[in-house]
């Protein structure tokens, strides 16, 4: 996408115009028709918010702010729990629980998705292993992957390695 700022409305100095054109980029990436977006005050606020969110996400694994919630998968005919879907959640120290719709797109558009995806897979496998160790052999675990991960030619090997590491 292309971000644009208009002289003199959006600024009189080249640096200001460039900064504001860059601030319009996220809007251009979201555009469904065309890939050009013009600067607006809202663009600046959104860019600042996204930057802050991205910086906080970069620290989330190290600070142990991610966790998995397990959504039961139930067989409607028998009423029995057949397994669970591992759902990534982020507990931000100041914002509380951040909705996945706010942080997942940021992860997917950055290089962080690979690291977080591996964390999710390992955490889900650790939980599945604990279930098996408790005698719950027949429960299945579902883990969501991002489109970005599917483009990684090493994905299959990484999944097999992780399953092996956890004895699954």
């Amino acid at each position: 996408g292309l971000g644009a700022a208009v002289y003199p409305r959006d600024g009189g100095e080249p640096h200001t115009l460039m900064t504001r054109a860059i601030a319009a980029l996220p809007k251009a990436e979201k555009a469904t028709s065309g890939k050009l977006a013009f600067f607006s005050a809202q663009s600046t606020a959104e860019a600042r918010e996204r930057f802050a969110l991205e910086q906080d996400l970069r620290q989330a694994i190290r600070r142990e702010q991610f966790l998995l919630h397990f959504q039961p998968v139930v067989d409607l005919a028998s009423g029995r729990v057949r397994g669970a879907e591992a759902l990534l959640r982020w507990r931000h120290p100041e914002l509380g629980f951040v909705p996945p719709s706010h942080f997942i797109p940021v992860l997917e558009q950055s290089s962080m998705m690979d690291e977080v995806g591996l964390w999710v897979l390992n955490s889900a496998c650790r939980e599945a292993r604990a279930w098996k160790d408790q005698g719950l052999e027949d429960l299945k675990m579902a883990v969501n992957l991002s489109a970005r991960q599917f483009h990684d030619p090493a994905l299959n090997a990484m999944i097999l390695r992780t399953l092996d590491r956890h004895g699954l």
Side-chain angles (χ1 to χ4, degrees):
L2 295 172
V6 178
Y7 172 86
R9 183 189 73 197
D10 297 329
E13 298 296 318
H15 175 70
T16 302
L17 288 169
M18 285 297 294
T19 300
R20 291 184 171 170
I22 291 168
L25 278 173
K27 200 162 110 182
E29 292 171 358
K30 291 179 190 173
T32 55
S33 61
K35 294 291 182 180
L36 175 65
F38 287 91
F39 169 80
S40 69
Q42 184 179 357
S43 299
T44 302
E46 288 173 1
R48 279 192 192 117
E49 182 181 318
R50 180 183 167 90
F51 179 78
L53 191 67
E54 191 171 322
Q55 296 311 306
D56 288 347
L57 278 167
R58 292 191 185 285
Q59 304 300 319
I61 288 180
R62 187 174 57 80
R63 293 180 179 164
E64 299 180 358
Q65 296 170 355
F66 285 129
L67 60 140
L68 293 181
H69 285 184
F70 298 96
Q71 177 76 39
V73 175
V74 178
D75 179 337
L76 293 178
S78 69
R80 291 191 59 219
V81 173
R82 295 293 182 192
E85 178 182 4
L87 302 172
L88 179 63
R89 297 296 182 255
W90 180 24
R91 186 177 38 231
H92 190 280
E94 292 145 19
L95 303 174
F97 279 101
V98 179
S101 61
H102 282 60
F103 73 89
I104 297 289
V106 176
L107 288 173
E108 287 181 344
Q109 294 170 5
S110 73
S111 61
M112 292 181 285
M113 192 67 235
D114 297 332
E115 182 181 4
V116 173
L118 183 58
W119 180 88
V120 168
L121 184 60
N122 270 295
S123 297
C125 286
R126 214 174 0 267
E127 187 69 23
R129 177 77 258 161
W131 293 349
K132 288 194 180 303
D133 291 346
Q134 293 171 22
L136 303 170
E137 289 287 331
D138 61 337
L139 292 181
K140 306 292 182 209
M141 177 72 71
V143 177
N144 296 309
L145 299 174
S146 77
R148 180 183 178 98
Q149 289 173 288
F150 279 109
H151 286 89
D152 181 354
L155 176 64
N156 198 34
M158 184 268 295
I159 291 171
L160 291 172
R161 234 184 359 261
T162 304
L163 290 170
D164 187 55
R165 182 180 316 122
H166 293 281
L168 299 171

